[in-house]
Amino acid sequence: MPTILDIARVSGVSKSTVSRVLNHHPHVSEDSRRKVEEAIKELSYVRNLRGVQLRLQRNHTIGIVVPLLDHPYFSRLAGILTKTCRDAGYKMVIHQTFFSQDAESEIYDALIHKEVDALILTHSAFSEEEIKSRVQDQIVVVCNEQFEGAQFDTVGVDEEEATFIATDHLLHQGAFPLIFCGDDMDSPLQQKRWEGFKRAHAHHGLECADTCCHNKVITIEDGVALGEERFRTASPPKGIVAGSDFVAAGLLAAANAVGLSVPEDVKIIGFDDHPICLTTSPTLSSISYALDEIALDLMGRLTQRLQGKNPEPLLIKRKPGLVRRGSS
Amino acid sequence: MPTILDIARVSGVSKSTVSRVLNHHPHVSEDSRRKVEEAIKELSYVRNLRGVQLRLQRNHTIGIVVPLLDHPYFSRLAGILTKTCRDAGYKMVIHQTFFSQDAESEIYDALIHKEVDALILTHSAFSEEEIKSRVQDQIVVVCNEQFEGAQFDTVGVDEEEATFIATDHLLHQGAFPLIFCGDDMDSPLQQKRWEGFKRAHAHHGLECADTCCHNKVITIEDGVALGEERFRTASPPKGIVAGSDFVAAGLLAAANAVGLSVPEDVKIIGFDDHPICLTTSPTLSSISYALDEIALDLMGRLTQRLQGKNPEPLLIKRKPGLVRRGSS
DNA sequence: GTGAAAGCGCTAACAT
DNA sequence: ATGTTAGCGCTTTCAC
């Protein structure tokens, strides 16, 4: 494995000049540049990043925090963000927290010790302030977690509004009472959604009890299980605002299995507008996000910070869309 | 950010001793060890990995190659493998190739230049020999890509057999002619599957034309599109072996939309036994994999190689399972 | 059992 | 425009 010293020897210049060529510095003679480039090609030299990193105290690596990868929303988001970062010349390390605060804490430690140059949060079990106190002035940006943008750049969809729209839609169709389910009711995101759910009820002059809120409903199987439980009671709910399309699909399957008709007996709506919505009978209504645009917004902001700029934290909330299909 | 030198100063020993404590060397006096540990706690010191890496020429980082993350099979596999690696004390960097040979080549370069200590392949657009010639004696292990295990440790399901079972099952139900679809027919995996598909036909004394093979069918939407195209012809296929459950779900939705009954008019089977199988009407038959076991097998092997052992490449092929549901 | 010193590959301030 | 040199944080001989 050749080093810049080898390149220097072969091309007959000093290693500083090699470094200058490598880093596209000005003030290098055309002649030196050519010789160095030839030597690089000849020895098929590639920079050892660890040397650079040790010297520069930078990694060109960004971390992304997701609760779990085996999830249609987070895998899609991680896929898009990874590509976006790569295109911007950064490597991406994906961290799964499995909704655990301990696992999330370790990631902040990694950031503080500069194992990554910045962190993208897509979910958190902490509040914005708690995170800020941990990470100090390290770079953190937030993607579609419902922080207020007080500490970090935050871009995403207005989740309170999204849930209001979904809930209002079901209530408007005459579905009541409703139930609501989310993956982690302790997170700010789920709290926002829950507020939107309640606001829609108030808007229609209806009461909604805390008992219609279900926590830790994440996967298709969770949706099936919740449906099996709630649909078999004497008075099953008339409508469901599900935390994701996968959960919604599971609930729909349970309704079919129990013999309830969708949307006549029970109406269902999910989040994300994932293509799974097209594969159920009836097809699933959903709230849509423009993830690609969100990713670009976020990366733009992140790039600025990585270049040392330090503007006030920004909050971008995009409008969600209602995609009405067969299930409502 | 404190360094071992700070620890050395505070604890009153030399930095070599600090290093020895850090690395759990023997021959350190109990007294020194205690003082160093106190200083570490006091300054909340954490090792700077880049220093270690530069010195040791190792990263404690493993790369994983997936075609794309936004895919139920690969995101699940990536999730499991990432957790398995983390538990073994390694970081994981996920690379998406988007089925491009160029993107994949870059990853091999990264391996050669030791940006990662090893690579886990879950898909490749190259042959085993081509990869070997690129990566030389760097560590590569293969997860469920159908290599022959001549060059690399390979663990996964016998895909030829899996496809034989799926195809045989449909033919046995009287479904003929069939069509077959895969994500990337140039890959060894899809070739194996295609061979299993043909072998099942031969087993039943039936012919199958190359025209029943469809390439680059990856997502739910691809499945819908393929279904719309093939189901509207005068003589639609009687059965489909789909490359993944998502594609199968898309095909099923298209069949329903076109007015074909499943399984009466057309029978469908997918791969992976993903829970989406439970959410369609009818539910989807599928070929099941034991991914968690595969991940553990693989990690065991990988750990050995990372410890410098260099046994002959191993080939583990687990038996696939047939999960019969409503669609066949 | 412990410390001094060399060096992993690289960049940048300083000198020329 | 180019070379010399120090040093990023760490591990590991080699002395003692």
Side-chain angles (χ1 to χ4, degrees), chain A residues 278, chain B residues 179 220-233 236-237 240 250-260:
Chain A
L278 305 172
Chain B
I179 65 176
I220 288 179
E221 291 95 328
D222 295 339
V224 172
L226 178 62
E228 299 271 348
E229 178 197 330
R230 294 298 307 246
F231 293 148
R232 287 195 198 283
T233 58
I240 302 182
L251 286 159
L252 182 55
N256 287 336
V258 168
L260 290 178

Side-chain angles (χ1 to χ4, degrees), chain B residues 4 15 45 55:
Chain B
I4 45 171
K15 62 178 186 154
Y45 163 83
R55 178 64 227 235

Side-chain angles (χ1 to χ4, degrees), chain A residues 219-229 231 247 249-251 253-254, chain B residues 278-279:
Chain A
T219 64
I220 287 179
E221 291 95 330
D222 295 337
V224 172
L226 178 62
E228 298 272 347
E229 178 198 329
F231 293 147
V247 169
L251 285 158
Chain B
L278 305 173
T279 69

Side-chain angles (χ1 to χ4, degrees), chain B residues 56-265:
Chain B
L56 262 41
Q57 306 286 37
R58 288 190 68 195
N59 273 323
H60 271 264
T61 299
I62 294 171
I64 177 174
V65 179
V66 297
L68 75 178
L69 218 35
D70 181 15
H71 183 290
Y73 171 74
F74 291 108
S75 66
R76 183 166 155 228
L77 187 56
I80 292 172
L81 288 171
T82 304
K83 181 160 172 36
T84 315
C85 281
R86 240 195 70 94
D87 291 348
Y90 284 84
K91 292 194 196 322
M92 176 77 105
V93 180
I94 298 175
H95 300 267
Q96 304 183 84
T97 65
F98 301 101
F99 299 101
S100 134
Q101 285 200 335
D102 287 348
E104 193 177 333
S105 290
E106 285 179 33
I107 301 168
Y108 297 129
D109 291 341
L111 175 65
I112 288 174
H113 296 291
K114 303 199 199 287
E115 287 179 39
V116 293
D117 295 337
L119 225 41
I120 299 175
L121 258 42
T122 69
H123 174 93
S124 178
F126 293 102
S127 76
E128 208 174 348
E129 286 70 24
E130 286 172 316
I131 300 169
K132 184 67 183 179
S133 80
R134 272 183 171 70
V135 304
Q136 318 276 8
D137 53 356
Q138 300 296 315
I139 302 174
V140 171
V141 296
V142 180
C143 189
N144 215 31
E145 175 68 314
Q146 284 320 90
F147 289 153
E148 292 303 334
Q151 311 292 344
F152 309 118
D153 293 323
T154 303
V155 12
V157 162
D158 185 338
E159 296 280 349
E160 199 271 354
E161 176 71 10
T163 316
F164 176 87
I165 291 172
T167 311
D168 175 64
H169 169 63
L170 294 192
L171 293 174
H172 203 75
Q173 308 299 315
F176 182 80
L178 302 181
I179 65 176
F180 171 90
C181 57
D183 52 18
D184 176 9
M185 291 306 297
D186 294 332
S187 77
L189 183 147
Q190 294 301 332
Q191 286 299 321
K192 290 283 168 178
R193 286 192 175 178
W194 176 240
E195 279 165 30
F197 184 78
K198 287 191 294 188
R199 180 161 68 88
H201 279 76
H203 182 69
H204 284 257
L206 296 167
E207 293 282 326
C208 84
D210 281 359
T211 50
C212 52
C213 177
H214 291 263
N215 195 10
K216 305 237 181 267
V217 189
I218 302 165
T219 64
I220 288 179
E221 291 95 328
D222 295 339
V224 172
L226 178 62
E228 299 271 348
E229 178 197 330
R230 294 298 307 246
F231 293 148
R232 287 195 198 283
T233 58
S235 53
K238 296 292 185 186
I240 302 182
V241 177
S244 77
D245 289 332
F246 271 39
V247 169
L251 286 159
L252 182 55
N256 287 336
V258 168
L260 290 178
S261 297
V262 178
E264 293 75 11
D265 299 329

